Amino acid sequence: MHDRCMWRRGLVRQMMRCCMLHVFPSQDHKQNMAMIKSSERSLIFPSLSPPFLNYQHTLPLSLLDTDRNLHVTFRYLRVYDAAATTTSNDPFHVISSATSRALLHYYPLAGTLRRDNHNRLELFCSSGQGVPFIHATVDFNLRSVNYLDDPDFAFVEQLVPDPGPKEGMEHPCMLQLTMFKCGGFALGAAIHHALCDGLGGSLFFNAVAELARGAVRVTVDPVWEREKLLRPGDPARVDSPLIKEFLGLDKGFLAYEQDIGKVGRECFDVKDEMLERFKKGLFEECGLKFTTFEVLGAYIWRSKVRASGVQAHEKVKFAYSINIRRLVKPPLPAGYWGNGCVPMYVQLSAKDLIEEPLWKTAELIKKSKSNVTDEYVSSFINYQELHFGDGITAGKGVSGFTDWRHLGHSTVDFGWGGPVTVLPLGRNLLGSVEPCFFLPYSTASEGKKEGFKVLVTLAEAALPAFRKDMQVFAESQEQLAVITNHFILHTLTEHYFCYLSSPMMASTLGTSSIAFLPSQYLSSPSSKSSIHSLSLTSGKKFYGGIGVHGIKGRSQFSVASVATEVNSVEQAQKIASKESQRPVYPFAAIVGQDEMKLCLLLNVIDPKIGGVMIMGDRGTGKSTTVRSLVDLLPEIAVVAGDPYNSDPQDPEFMGVEVRERVLKGEQLQVVLSKINMVDLPLGATEDRVCGTIDIEKALTEGVKAFEPGLLAKANRGILYVDEVNLLDDHLVDVLLDSAASGWNTVEREGISISHPARFILIGSGNPEEGELRPQLLDRFGMHAQVGTVRDAELRVKIVEERARFDKNPKEFRDSYKADQEKLQDQISSARSILSSVQIDQDLKVKISKVCAELNVDGLRGDIVTNRAAKALAALKGRDKVSAEDIATVIPNCLRHRLRKDPLESIDSGLLVTEKFYEVFG
């Protein structure tokens, strides 16, 4: 061992070399850039030589790894703000040492890629291999370059290794750490894509970060087994017709060697407010909700194709990756760090892309997600097997898109906090030489907090036209907001409302709806815009952006929809009451989904747990299960006639008027009422949610004329938001504020009214539709994951039960009446004994130890786990919490609080369970 270490040190000394790297002066920053002062390169070896490296061997790659589009080195950069560094905790020393230890587990990163006899890539491994690590310094502060948030790429290129094709094969992983004068640093990585994708790379860097923070071992053991886990079928068959529709065979065409002239890269700012207006505009046009990726991707794709001057008849493709780690059967293990994504495409002719309404393109992107089935994945793998030597390609005209805003790059914390900026430098992606990245702003950048940036790579000749399109996008949205707000404001007041419902206005508009959208986004740029001027009784005219459209037979802004917005709360409550009379599927009849059902029951027993977030595949019964909870809800005492369901015993749950009556000594009339379940529709207005003040009545009569909203009705009850991840941001802010304070405050024209709004927040959604804001996700006490039932017999039973319910709901409900009553009694009994349930001190300490070792932020995880364990013990009729109770609930209480990639393949619940058994023994 001593001889081996001496040999290794000698090799390191031989590999050390010093060189001066010149940095091009920045054109974007006022301060002139100095050159990098010094740079040293060394090899980092595994801290111990694994026994299996004492002889030479090769590791096979999967068919996804050997995809021709992945034969590139991907380069990216993480920037860390000023660290409290000393000689003993110098970032280079800490990270290089941790990298050496991590290479014990990820030793293939130190191997060498080469081609076998069939020209496929394989990995050659032997002793003495290491990862090149460059240590560089610069003589200025990160702040002077705005933390590389809006970088000068000529400078940034010097911060990341840039190996040529030969060196990239010899050293598939290369790192560079550049120290800045302020104490901050940048960590650049160049990793060959055949070894891993972005999620696999994050597994490696998170392992390094864990060890750098002092961990003894990595949390997730890496899994290789590439060829075994993603092997082709026997025989290999291509069953999905989409494969041959999107992919072709051309040995002579190499995607990344296309000559499109000089290429430029630019960052464009996208404001949240601007984007939300744009989404709402498209919703008015087609009635569909779109994610940011869908709508902005569609707009940028069209703008790039138009700016590039693509011939009208040519086919163009929108390409993006979808994670298949949980889609394949069986799912890939948590530690699998190879390529675990397949490309998906949307294909159109350039003419159709430019001339079709934008919402149609966004809809195609939305629908394409559902095309990634197990059949598509297996067909893609089999196609790689059958035609590897035939030159598989997606052809020309591919635009690659990827969203880095939620990929968990910020979780890589070496002990000084996560990175403030993450920046990709790769120019080749998914067969595209002009990729587009959605990136978060630097958390340390000044003046850029709301929104994100888009990094676009494009032929320089096309950039001027593309810039103009992006500018039009921003300016038109601002103009649109002014027009829309002005029109709606006057429509809902005085003579404008009368004019809107007049025969003259009806004859002008016909049966079509009014869509508030700039015509250039929804029709061909070459077609003439239909711009109308609406002459109102005041003599004013409104121009631009207000057009008459008949959309799928739906009225998007008609007299009826205006009337709905100004309906009284009493009318809305009558409608809700009528809706509640519809037969509800019995909770006891729900087949499977035990995790979701348990979380819901525990929150009914103890509302202070804080609600449930239910995420899972479409069609798995999320909404049905939540709404079936209505029949099980127990009765509570409320003050009669009070719109806030005030608790006659608890001042914290009393409205202001009830509290004043109590202080005056009045006798309160108390009635029993079932706990309310209130549905919050995605299209609800803020006034409908929060309530509204009748300004005219307040001014003329001198009283606070308040019409309560949904938050008032939900007090002491349940507020359910289906598709919560699509909820408008301004309503999310309202929910956050109410969930945090327990009170809802309405401010209008100098008048302020507050009322209690303590509710159990239940949300459901499909992760494919987008992720939740972290602030909202943290407000949910528990998190349940639901999946599609795979057992054929259970599926048949579910279908049969649903058919019985649809045929005769009353008879079906009667058949489950005994089971429902048993559940009701169990819940009531659990609520009555909950206060007497005890949990031992040592169990409390172990719960907190699990939370601490998982780096759970804050103390909500500790509190919720204790409450949920007590509620489960009460549900089982016991007065003392056991370790088994904690084991059951702790994954649901902590999985959504872990600081990890929300799109990561690793099941965070499994990480929690593993840590539980480690701590509890």
Side-chain angles (χ1 to χ4, degrees):
M1 178 64 72
H2 176 74
D3 292 341
R4 182 182 301 164
C5 293
M6 290 298 293
W7 169 83
R8 187 166 294 157
R9 292 192 194 105
L11 183 59
V12 171
R13 284 194 291 269
Q14 292 177 27
M15 291 294 296
M16 298 283 280
R17 61 184 177 90
C18 297
C19 63
M20 297 297 291
L21 296 180
H22 294 274
V23 179
F24 294 94
S26 171
Q27 299 175 355
D28 300 323
H29 304 292
K30 294 180 180 179
Q31 178 175 335
N32 292 326
M33 296 299 138
M35 65 176 62
I36 289 182
K37 293 176 61 176
S38 63
S39 176
E40 297 179 351
R41 170 171 165 158
S42 60
L43 282 181
I44 303 296
F45 299 96
S47 56
L48 295 174
S49 182
F52 43 78
L53 283 183
N54 290 332
Y55 61 92
Q56 298 178 353
H57 65 285
T58 58
L59 294 174
L61 300 172
S62 76
L63 290 169
L64 294 187
D65 295 329
T66 56
D67 180 355
R68 282 209 306 175
N69 285 335
L70 302 186
H71 291 188
V72 293
T73 295
F74 196 82
R75 304 164 62 230
Y76 54 103
L77 183 73
R78 290 183 175 92
V79 180
Y80 292 81
D81 199 1
T85 60
T86 63
T87 305
S88 60
N89 72 341
D90 168 65
F92 178 76
H93 173 75
V94 171
I95 295 175
S96 60
S97 176
T99 301
S100 177
R101 294 170 60 199
L103 287 176
L104 278 173
H105 310 278
Y106 290 88
Y107 76 91
L109 286 171
T112 299
L113 284 169
R114 66 184 187 184
R115 297 190 179 277
D116 63 13
N117 295 333
H118 303 287
N119 204 33
R120 290 184 185 269
L121 288 179
E122 63 181 9
L123 194 67
F124 174 74
C125 301
S126 69
S127 59
Q129 292 177 324
V131 171
F133 204 142
I134 299 170
H135 183 200
T137 58
V138 293
D139 196 22
F140 48 87
N141 297 330
L142 276 170
R143 186 172 182 179
S144 65
V145 291
N146 199 26
Y147 302 91
L148 303 181
D149 197 27
D150 45 357
D152 167 31
F153 284 99
F155 167 60
V156 173
E157 285 285 346
Q158 308 301 315
L159 304 180
V160 182
D162 190 10
K166 183 177 180 181
E167 188 179 17
M169 296 274 284
E170 183 181 354
H171 294 295
C173 177
M174 299 180 68
L175 305 176
Q176 176 174 332
L177 189 142
T178 306
M179 289 296 302
F180 286 74
K181 187 177 180 180
C182 57
F185 61 94
L187 181 63
I191 301 180
H192 201 287
H193 217 319
L195 280 191
C196 60
D197 56 16
L199 296 176
S202 292
L203 276 176
F204 167 66
F205 283 111
N206 274 300
V208 175
E210 279 187 308
L211 297 172
R213 296 195 305 267
V216 177
R217 57 183 295 273
V218 297
T219 302
V220 182
D221 291 321
V223 176
W224 185 265
E225 296 185 335
R226 309 284 179 95
E227 195 177 40
K228 176 182 176 182
L229 292 173
L230 288 174
R231 61 178 178 268
D234 185 17
R237 298 186 310 176
V238 179
D239 296 321
S240 173
L242 294 175
I243 299 298
K244 294 182 180 179
E245 178 183 343
F246 296 141
L247 300 178
L249 304 175
D250 186 351
K251 287 185 179 181
F253 178 76
L254 298 175
Y256 301 135
E257 293 184 8
Q258 297 179 71
D259 184 11
I260 61 171
K262 194 174 181 181
V263 176
R265 284 182 290 179
E266 284 195 24
C267 284
F268 297 87
D269 296 328
V270 179
K271 297 179 181 178
D272 286 339
E273 182 182 3
M274 176 182 70
L275 189 60
E276 288 308 311
R277 291 196 202 113
F278 192 55
K279 287 182 184 179
K280 289 177 183 177
L282 290 187
F283 178 77
E284 294 291 340
E285 177 70 5
C286 65
L288 294 174
K289 287 273 189 177
F290 296 112
T291 65
T292 293
F293 183 77
E294 293 159 0
V295 67
L296 190 58
Y299 183 85
I300 292 176
W301 183 31
R302 189 179 70 177
S303 297
K304 289 177 68 175
V305 170
R306 184 162 54 196
S308 299
V310 179
Q311 295 296 315
H313 67 277
E314 290 188 22
K315 294 289 186 181
V316 291
K317 291 185 177 75
F318 180 101
Y320 64 100
S321 289
I322 288 189
N323 185 4
I324 64 164
R325 286 166 167 82
R326 295 177 183 170
L327 185 62
V328 294
K329 305 295 181 297
L332 297 178
Y336 187 83
W337 59 286
N339 285 280
C341 298
V342 296
M344 175 47 66
Y345 304 90
V346 176
Q347 181 172 269
L348 288 170
S349 70
K351 181 177 183 294
D352 288 341
L353 174 62
I354 293 174
E355 294 186 356
E356 287 289 335
L358 187 69
W359 66 264
K360 286 192 175 181
T361 304
E363 185 180 27
L364 287 176
I365 297 173
K366 176 185 285 290
K367 288 181 176 178
S368 69
K369 297 175 182 177
S370 61
N371 291 333
V372 185
T373 61
D374 186 46
E375 180 185 66
Y376 178 86
V377 174
S378 60
S379 293
F380 184 88
I381 294 173
N382 289 338
Y383 196 73
Q384 298 289 330
E385 168 70 9
L386 294 171
H387 299 289
F388 171 79
D390 301 326
I392 300 172
T393 178
K396 299 179 181 179
V398 178
S399 294
F401 286 79
T402 186
D403 191 344
W404 275 34
R405 295 174 302 153
H406 309 294
L407 279 182
H409 291 288
S410 59
T411 62
V412 181
D413 176 5
F414 298 104
W416 298 279
V420 296
T421 304
V422 179
L423 187 69
L425 295 181
R427 299 182 185 179
N428 300 321
L429 176 74
L430 298 170
S432 169
V433 292
E434 297 176 300
C436 176
F437 296 86
F438 295 0
L439 302 171
Y441 284 134
S442 169
T443 56
S445 177
E446 297 178 359
K448 291 183 179 179
K449 301 298 181 185
E450 300 298 327
F452 57 97
K453 59 188 176 184
V454 176
L455 173 59
V456 175
T457 304
L458 196 60
E460 281 196 350
L463 272 173
F466 182 78
R467 290 190 199 105
K468 184 177 180 181
D469 247 15
M470 294 300 289
Q471 185 65 27
V472 168
F473 174 82
E475 291 176 351
S476 296
Q477 292 310 300
E478 293 173 3
Q479 181 184 13
L480 171 64
V482 174
I483 294 171
T484 304
N485 292 338
H486 197 138
F487 182 77
I488 292 176
L489 176 64
H490 286 76
T491 300
L492 294 178
T493 57
E494 300 177 357
H495 47 270
Y496 293 102
F497 184 85
C498 300
Y499 183 79
L500 191 66
S501 56
S502 68
M504 178 168 55
M505 189 63 165
S507 65
T508 302
L509 299 182
T511 58
S512 300
S513 61
I514 301 175
F516 301 96
L517 282 174
S519 57
Q520 65 260 38
Y521 296 110
L522 305 175
S523 60
S524 166
S526 60
S527 63
K528 294 183 179 180
S529 303
S530 177
I531 301 178
H532 305 261
S533 64
L534 302 181
S535 179
L536 305 181
T537 55
S538 63
K540 296 181 180 179
K541 295 183 179 181
F542 297 86
Y543 296 93
I546 303 180
V548 179
H549 303 272
I551 309 300
K552 295 185 177 180
R554 299 174 59 175
S555 174
Q556 298 300 323
F557 194 88
S558 61
V559 175
S561 63
V562 174
T564 300
E565 291 299 328
V566 296
N567 270 344
S568 66
V569 174
E570 287 78 13
Q571 289 173 311
Q573 289 174 339
K574 289 178 182 178
I575 295 173
S577 176
K578 187 176 181 181
E579 291 288 320
S580 67
Q581 295 173 6
R582 296 174 181 173
V584 178
Y585 199 87
F587 188 90
I590 303 291
V591 177
Q593 310 300 11
D594 294 333
E595 179 180 319
M596 171 172 54
K597 292 191 292 186
L598 179 62
C599 291
L600 292 172
L601 290 176
L602 296 183
N603 273 271
V604 172
I605 293 170
D606 185 1
K608 290 184 179 180
I609 288 174
V612 189
M613 179 65 224
I614 304 168
M615 295 294 282
D617 303 333
R618 52 192 176 276
T620 50
K622 301 185 294 293
S623 301
T624 300
T625 305
V626 173
R627 293 191 172 104
S628 70
L629 200 62
V630 171
D631 288 341
L632 301 180
L633 298 178
E635 291 184 332
I636 55 174
V638 300
V639 176
D642 182 71
Y644 312 120
N645 303 314
S646 293
D647 188 336
Q649 303 296 328
D650 188 350
E652 288 296 320
F653 287 92
M654 287 183 184
V656 176
E657 294 82 0
V658 172
R659 191 178 298 184
E660 290 175 352
R661 289 168 58 189
V662 172
L663 293 175
K664 291 178 182 177
E666 292 186 20
Q667 186 70 29
L668 300 178
Q669 183 180 354
V670 179
V671 296
L672 291 178
S673 174
K674 266 208 166 188
I675 292 177
N676 277 331
M677 175 177 284
V678 178
D679 271 298
L680 177 61
L682 293 179
T685 63
E686 189 171 343
D687 282 350
R688 181 70 188 93
V689 175
C690 300
T692 185
I693 298 173
D694 189 335
I695 302 297
E696 182 180 354
K697 188 174 181 180
L699 295 177
T700 56
E701 301 180 19
V703 296
K704 292 183 178 180
F706 179 62
E707 294 183 345
L710 295 178
L711 291 182
K713 187 177 181 182
N715 185 42
R716 301 181 67 203
I718 296 173
L719 184 65
Y720 175 49
V721 188
D722 195 9
E723 303 293 348
V724 64
N725 43 348
L726 299 181
L727 191 65
D728 287 338
D729 277 353
H730 71 284
L731 292 182
V732 171
D733 293 333
V734 169
L735 291 181
L736 283 174
D737 184 60
S738 298
S741 64
W743 283 80
N744 174 46
T745 302
V746 181
E747 301 272 358
R748 298 287 188 277
E749 304 296 335
I751 299 174
S752 178
I753 292 180
S754 296
H755 67 77
R758 295 174 182 263
F759 47 81
I760 302 171
L761 185 59
I762 298 178
S764 64
N766 184 345
E768 292 180 353
E769 298 293 340
E771 296 300 321
L772 279 176
R773 286 169 56 183
Q775 298 95 323
L776 180 59
L777 187 61
D778 188 55
R779 296 296 180 187
F780 289 95
M782 304 182 77
H783 187 285
Q785 290 181 344
V786 295
T788 304
V789 176
R790 301 298 178 188
D791 184 86
E793 293 184 1
L794 277 181
R795 292 171 75 104
V796 171
K797 182 178 180 182
I798 294 171
V799 172
E800 291 176 343
E801 291 289 87
R802 185 69 209 191
R804 282 182 55 210
F805 175 77
D806 292 338
K807 183 178 180 181
N808 192 331
K810 185 179 184 304
E811 180 180 314
F812 183 82
R813 286 171 56 82
D814 288 344
S815 66
Y816 279 95
K817 186 175 181 180
D819 293 331
Q820 289 282 98
E821 290 177 350
K822 181 179 178 181
L823 263 177
Q824 286 176 320
D825 293 341
Q826 197 174 356
I827 292 171
S828 297
S829 175
R831 286 171 66 95
S832 65
I833 68 172
L834 179 63
S835 59
S836 62
V837 176
Q838 301 295 319
I839 179 170
D840 291 341
Q841 182 67 22
D842 67 322
L843 294 181
K844 294 180 182 178
V845 172
K846 288 181 178 179
I847 290 173
S848 293
K849 187 176 181 181
V850 171
C851 295
E853 294 191 7
L854 287 173
N855 296 315
V856 174
D857 292 331
L859 295 176
R860 282 199 183 99
D862 307 58
I863 295 170
V864 170
T865 304
N866 279 270
R867 288 191 178 280
K870 287 184 177 181
L872 179 58
L875 182 64
K876 294 178 178 179
R878 291 188 277 102
D879 60 0
K880 194 169 184 178
V881 173
S882 67
E884 288 76 17
D885 296 329
I886 300 171
T888 302
V889 301
I890 197 168
N892 304 107
C893 298
L894 300 184
R895 61 152 56 103
H896 57 302
R897 307 180 195 277
L898 300 191
R899 299 171 60 190
K900 64 178 289 295
D901 178 359
L903 298 180
E904 180 60 80
S905 62
I906 303 170
D907 185 351
S908 52
L910 293 178
L911 296 182
V912 175
T913 301
E914 180 181 318
K915 182 59 66 175
F916 168 84
Y917 284 109
E918 180 182 321
V919 172
F920 278 73

